[in-house]
Amino acid sequence: MTSQLFSPYKLGGLELQNRIVIAPMCQYSAEDGKATDWHTIHLGHLALSGAALLFIEATAVSPEGRISPLDLGLWSDETEEALGKVLAAVRKYSDMPIGIQLAHAGRKASVHVPWNGGGQAGLDQGGWQTLAPSALAFGNHPRAPLALDAAEIAKLCEDFAESAKRAVRLGLDAIELHAAHGYLLHQFLSPLSNKREDQYGGSLENRMRLPLEIFDAVRAVVPAGIPVGFRVSGSDWAEGGWDLDQTIAFAKELKTREACFIHVSGGGLSPDQKVPLGPNYQVPFARAVKQATGLPTIAVGLITEADQAEAIIGTGDADLVALARGMLYDPRWPWHAAAQLGASVKAPNQYLRSQPRQHSKLFA
Ligand SMILES: Cc1cc2nc3c(=O)[nH]c(=O)nc-3n(C[C@H](O)[C@H](O)[C@H](O)COP(=O)(O)O)c2cc1C
């Protein structure tokens, strides 16, 4: 039987060899926003994994949009040049399409890296004043964000568009706008974090306005062949918050604007969230969004087994599956999945001799 997981797919103008996406993963290893040798190692090894598409981590469109002082950025010639060097090295040995997630952390910015506790960084500890739709602190952060004014909101659209132009110049193959996990664009969408009384707050239409304006600003500067889409949280999993119905309404708006994909994750906005963790826990969101809109949909969240991923694609719950932790744990996950499902992957010439005898057709 032919594997659906290893069947090709066209995402906008981008040809994908199979349905496996490597989800964006913050590395907290940049210097003043500039990519380092760590990124060459990290992206380099993932680009040999046989996946169809590799997303670069949440990449800040401005210095104050970083989650931590060590986040990757794409807001200046220096940050563009540093990422360009990494990509040149990776591309020398892999033709895997590479996308980038463009992001602004809003009120969740200015925190210590996770391995140093992840709490809010003080202004005397390399931290900075954060910005958000409303002056509401996240969780126990002692310093509240400032509410963005009209000029700052207009600048956000410009910042996303400028970073997108840089991504295009770098030859990146796809752009994902980050509106999930409680970061700035999600903060605008959710009624729990957005208490504005102007045209960017209140009704669902108003809360969706800024993410949609940013989509339009980015789409306008990105050539038609390069897919632009969104990552969203399907739910805040918190009383009175963003939910699946609103996600579907947002996806419908994206569909009319010809967004190329929606990547459906969950949570991250409220410390009171109750996440029903388990295998496939976010797949029902992807299924519902896909059914309601027909938008190319990426499912993510505790997808760890080949059969599991095969079933998600085979049943049509989603068009693509994304893996994060599973790819760090087993960076050859797609090879092993292909072996199990009787499919094949692309492997670098240098590794061809590793093909196990019982999987003699593994390497295409
Ligand atoms: C180390 C690490 C870094 C992450 N960084 C990002 C990120 O930059 N952007 C994002 O949208 N999600 C990020 N996530 C979330 C993952 O992309 C993914 O949605 C989540 O881990 C669930 O998928 P999984 O069960 O396959 O790990 C990160 C997750 C991990 C483990």
Side-chain angles (χ1 to χ4, degrees):
M1 218 183 69
T2 318
S3 162
Q4 298 298 305
L5 184 63
F6 285 90
S7 61
Y9 187 73
K10 201 153 179 227
L11 191 64
L14 187 61
E15 306 273 358
L16 302 180
Q17 292 191 340
N18 58 52
R19 309 302 185 94
I20 305 166
V21 173
I22 304 176
M25 280 182 275
C26 284
Q27 296 300 296
Y28 310 106
S29 299
E31 290 166 6
D32 296 326
K34 291 178 288 198
T36 63
D37 289 346
W38 174 256
H39 294 91
T40 310
I41 294 171
H42 167 69
L43 296 171
H45 90 294
L46 292 177
L48 304 179
S49 67
L53 173 62
L54 163 59
F55 270 112
I56 297 174
E57 68 198 78
T59 302
V61 298
S62 61
E64 67 278 8
R66 290 172 296 173
I67 302 169
S68 82
L70 299 187
D71 279 30
L72 189 63
L74 191 53
W75 61 70
S76 63
D77 292 348
E78 291 74 25
T79 52
E80 182 180 333
E81 190 190 346
L83 191 54
K85 274 192 196 148
V86 167
L87 290 170
V90 173
R91 288 220 171 90
K92 213 164 151 186
Y93 299 105
S94 167
D95 62 2
M96 183 183 292
I98 302 177
I100 190 164
Q101 186 184 52
L102 296 180
H104 190 300
R107 68 177 186 171
K108 286 178 86 176
S110 181
V111 298
H112 297 292
V113 298
W115 49 86
N116 286 335
Q120 191 178 53
L123 297 176
D124 55 351
Q125 298 172 312
W128 56 90
Q129 176 58 56
T130 57
L131 299 166
S134 305
L136 294 170
F138 174 70
N140 60 2
H141 284 184
R143 215 170 53 250
L146 296 178
L148 286 148
D149 64 23
E152 287 164 334
I153 286 181
K155 182 173 175 293
L156 276 172
C157 289
E158 285 167 27
D159 288 345
F160 271 90
E162 282 306 309
S163 294
K165 282 191 213 163
R166 294 183 186 280
V168 171
R169 270 206 295 272
L170 288 171
L172 287 162
D173 301 290
I175 295 179
E176 177 174 280
L177 302 171
H178 197 355
H181 304 165
Y183 294 109
L184 184 71
L185 301 187
H186 185 178
Q187 290 159 30
F188 270 87
L189 292 174
S190 175
L192 295 177
S193 45
N194 183 346
K195 304 287 183 194
R196 296 181 75 91
E197 290 175 354
D198 61 5
Q199 74 270 35
Y200 292 103
S203 66
L204 174 60
E205 186 187 355
N206 281 356
R207 284 180 277 118
M208 295 193 299
R209 191 180 307 280
L210 179 65
L212 293 174
E213 284 180 357
I214 286 178
F215 177 81
D216 291 342
V218 167
R219 192 63 272 184
V221 298
V222 175
I226 300 178
V228 179
F230 261 95
R231 196 172 219 209
V232 294
S233 282
S235 173
D236 288 343
W237 283 307
E239 185 86 30
W242 182 253
D243 58 17
L244 183 57
D245 287 345
Q246 297 172 79
T247 304
I248 289 172
F250 184 58
K252 284 184 174 162
E253 288 295 327
L254 294 180
K255 181 83 189 291
T256 65
R257 288 168 156 79
E258 297 184 6
C260 288
F261 64 92
I262 185 156
H263 189 165
V264 194
S265 188
L269 188 107
S270 164
D272 300 328
Q273 66 184 12
K274 303 263 181 304
V275 184
L277 263 187
N280 282 8
Y281 69 110
Q282 295 172 153
V283 174
F285 295 153
R287 182 194 309 132
V289 168
K290 193 184 160 197
Q291 274 175 2
T293 64
L295 207 54
T297 302
I298 310 176
V300 67
L302 283 179
I303 300 167
T304 54
E305 308 304 318
D307 287 341
Q308 182 191 3
E310 177 71 23
I312 293 167
I313 303 299
T315 56
D317 280 352
D319 300 292
L320 299 161
V321 289
L323 280 79
R325 289 164 292 186
M327 286 298 304
L328 294 186
Y329 185 67
D330 176 7
R332 300 277 184 272
W333 191 93
W335 292 20
H336 302 142
Q340 193 178 322
L341 298 170
S344 55
V345 282
K346 218 172 185 178
N349 291 337
Q350 293 89 334
Y351 292 177
L352 289 179
R353 287 173 65 188
S354 70
Q355 180 171 264
R357 196 171 302 162
Q358 69 275 27
H359 300 301
S360 61
K361 296 206 168 64
L362 178 59
F363 296 149

